[in-house]
Amino acid sequence: MPRFSVIIPCFKVQGFLRECLDSVLEQSYRDLEVIAVDDCSPDGCGAILDGYAARDERVRVLHLTENVGLGRARNAGLPHATGDYLLFLDSDDTLTPGALRALADRLAETADPDVLVFDYARTYWWGGTRRNVLAHVLAEAGAGVFTAVEHPEILDLLMVVWNKVYRRSFVEREGFAFPPGYYEDTPWTFPVLLSAERIATLDRICLNYRQRRQGNILSTTSRKHFDVHAQYERVFAFVDARPELARWRPFLHAKMGEHCLDILSKPDRLPPADRAEFFRRTAELFRAHRPEGARTPAELRVLEGGYAAYAARSQGARAGRALARRAGRVRTAATARLHRAGSAVRTRRPLDPDLVVYSAFSHRGVLGDPAAVYHEARRIAPQLRGVWVLRDEELVPSLPPGTEHVILGSAAYRRVTERATFFVNNVNWPGPLRKRPGSVHIHTHQGTPLKYLGADLLGKPGARHGIDVPQMLRRADRWDHSLVANLHSELVWERAYPCHFASARTGSPRNDVLVRARADRAAGAGFRLRNGIPAGHTVVLYAPTRRDYRRGGHVDRIDLARFAADLGAGHTLVVRLHPSLATGPARGLGLADLHRRGVLVDATDEPHVEDVLLAADLLVTDYSALMFDYAVLDRPILIHADDLDAYAASRGLYFDISAEPPGHVSRSYRELAWLLASGTWRDAEAARLRAAFRARFCAFDDGRAAERVVRTLLLGETMPAPAPVPGARAAASGRDLLTPS
């Protein structure tokens, strides 16, 4: 008996069906059966299903003699299911890699609940991806099991059948089945969740919910949307038959009103001539099932009036939103004029020679190179007043005690930026900031460049999507000093940013702590302790970067669960995603769940990457700039370059990392696993490659970069140039020539 029975009804989806089936059959977890129901589809679905059944014994196909619709097609598959758990998958959606393994592990962890609810992401036809906005409900449900009474927020999730797996014995005992018509999920999901005695959640994206440009049933203009009324009648009948569920009537009554009004508000759902009738039918249903003594929520009181009042209100709301948008534009223009006028007055005041304004990573806190400069300035030049710019008030608690700050765009922000002499940032300042004569802008960058940046992106249209390169260069025109850690960076910045600045061979201030801790293996103990990493474990840090050839930037290059398992006992896998992926769906595709279960450590949110680097014994990366920082520690590095050609073609590389790597290079996961298992990752050749890499790219990192910035650029003192790393190139060689963009 398999663990999962995956029931897939199919109708007119021949263009998507193979992708759907492959996403199930190619799962690493193979204890499953697929029951595919050909709902008398007029296209090639039946033949496709038969072909898969002939090749894979886990696939069984039912050919219906007439089209019965989605719900009844699912019902047709139910009697053939033999698995412990049922999963209903629509034939244009797909499972994410590793989804079934994650579901199986969570079911075992929660001792086989009646229902397990998991997360999903909407994948749009134009390439975009958006995670379920209520994903937090899954995380907040906790690690155990519960009922809907104990955690009613579970009913706020999208009431669909395909974001859950169901214990088959529970479904059979309760006699659940799908009704005919549209919105057939409604009278299934509400009864299931209200009846379940043990519900669990999995905070992981297990399914990609395809948003088709056309062909989506619920986006079709039709009178079939009237079916929603009959479906809610079934829900109320179910509750009426079970007195113990009476408490849910007010909730379901409100949900019904909200759902029907939402359908009515969509311009593509109902024929215009039928909208008034739909409203009247909804209002009748609302009155008929209103619980005695229940108060009508304000947003549903429109159902107590007539359609004319509803239509007038809807039209008025649309007009009000349009007026608000126009008023907002007028206010913005007026505010800008006032700011310009006020700035003209304030800029007559002299610059404050001791005022330094700092920002890092688009105003996210005291981080990176600017943070290192700030702390050093407080140590050796306390007369300098350092003020940090923050994006919003929510970041204030993350500041070190006693840190002076202003919020971007506030009056205080305008005051300090109009009087500051020094500006230190690793990202360009916002466009409205005016550079006054006499002010000094120090740009620290965010690491040694491997991939194309600045003007070099002009030849890479995919990589510069959403980036205004001319505007970027206009902002870079404000730079006075550009910090560099090596000759390679100096060449790149002067080419990529053809502006009027001087290159400052200071080294990378944020790497001072790495230089000083190079021989101190205990330096990363804090991170290890915070994350429960056992003493003596070898810590492997995996730090992939984003991909410009994929919208959203995230591509699963490695199965993280398998990677962690293959490392074996005595090892801990730590994963740090690129910052641009931290708030997208990438974390939900298994990383957060694996962290929760202790399979690995997710270090994406660690504010200080230096702490993560110090804790690692080995760095595995692809094309992340972290490799240049980690090389300062003189610890092993592996480059996993399985998509190097695609990456180089889409983004552009300043040199071939596979030809001049900081360690061994793998071109497949099999090669990577062998390098790790065989110990080759730390052999003599790895040390030779690393030494050459350090000599080239860590040449100016001597542990005094922040001090050098403060003394030479802020205080105007002199200080010796950094002593090069042994073997560093004194001048650019032929291999330092930059690849044309």
Side-chain angles (χ1 to χ4, degrees), residues 525-569:
F527 174 84
R528 289 178 176 236
L529 183 64
R530 287 196 306 277
N531 290 279
I533 299 175
H537 265 217
T538 298
V539 175
V540 178
L541 171 60
Y542 175 52
T545 193
R546 63 177 290 118
R547 267 43 177 190
D548 294 289
Y549 59 75
R550 175 71 63 86
R551 186 181 290 271
H554 176 70
V555 178
D556 279 317
R557 308 306 312 171
I558 290 178
D559 182 336
L560 296 178
R562 178 183 178 186
F563 190 19
D566 288 348
L567 289 175

Side-chain angles (χ1 to χ4, degrees), residues 439-477:
S439 64
V440 177
H441 283 239
I442 300 169
H443 194 75
T444 71
H445 302 283
Q446 296 182 34
T448 294
L450 172 62
K451 55 199 174 209
Y452 277 15
L453 295 162
D456 290 327
L457 291 175
L458 291 171
K460 298 292 180 181
R464 72 168 191 269
H465 179 73
I467 298 175
D468 186 338
V469 173
Q471 182 188 67
M472 179 192 299
L473 298 182
R474 286 193 294 272
R475 294 180 178 183
D477 282 332

